[in-house]
Amino acid sequence: MEKYTEEMKHNLEHFSEIMDEWYSQVPEEMLKEDKFLKLASNKGEDVASESVQSIVEEIIANTQTTAPKLLIGGAENYCRMMIDTYSNDYLSKVFDTKHDAGSREYIVKAFRYYSENNCTENN
């Protein structure tokens, strides 16, 4: 847990630099397709379903190939980051207003399910 806290502290201190670097490396086609919106559009489906979990896997795989390793770490750390990010009350209001009520909560549940059932690393 201490390692996770140190990594998060570093990431927060250098967030804008890390995001600028990451954003400059994101392929144009990824910027056009919002995979989180794609995930949220499945919110009537069980988060454990193969189709929902394949979207989560796709998001993680795309991020791991484009984002700096220092920013996201492994899959478990990335899932934790997404759960923390999408649990934010402000983001909830913004995301749910833009993409229907409950979308943000569904994304959290999908990442939590993936983390609990697929991640075995100890970050």
Side-chain angles (χ1 to χ4, degrees):
M1 187 62 141
E2 186 176 317
K3 182 179 177 186
Y4 172 72
T5 304
E6 288 298 317
E7 288 174 1
M8 289 304 297
K9 181 179 176 185
H10 177 271
N11 291 345
L12 288 172
E13 289 171 355
H14 301 282
F15 184 76
S16 56
E17 299 159 28
I18 293 170
M19 290 308 296
D20 286 345
E21 181 184 333
W22 173 76
Y23 194 74
S24 71
Q25 297 174 15
V26 176
E28 187 67 31
E29 62 273 5
M30 281 183 66
L31 294 175
K32 292 178 185 173
E33 183 181 2
D34 186 342
K35 299 209 185 300
F36 287 93
L37 177 57
K38 181 179 175 183
L39 178 59
S41 70
N42 284 281
K43 72 179 174 188
E45 200 170 328
D46 184 355
V47 294
S49 73
E50 187 177 327
S51 60
V52 170
Q53 288 302 300
S54 70
I55 297 170
V56 173
E57 287 178 357
E58 187 178 351
I59 291 169
I60 292 169
N62 285 342
T63 302
Q64 288 181 324
T65 59
T66 60
K69 180 75 171 163
L70 182 61
L71 175 64
I72 62 164
E76 182 177 16
N77 192 53
Y78 181 72
C79 286
R80 219 180 290 130
M81 288 172 53
M82 291 301 95
I83 292 166
D84 290 348
T85 299
Y86 280 87
S87 293
N88 176 289
D89 288 336
Y90 175 75
L91 184 60
S92 173
K93 292 174 186 163
V94 171
F95 199 83
D96 285 354
T97 299
K98 186 175 179 184
H99 302 297
D100 297 327
S103 296
R104 185 246 357 133
E105 183 179 348
Y106 185 78
I107 289 171
V108 169
K109 287 179 181 178
F111 273 93
R112 185 170 287 127
Y113 180 88
Y114 183 89
S115 179
E116 291 170 355
N117 293 280
N118 297 291
C119 297
T120 56
E121 48 187 302
N122 294 313
N123 288 333

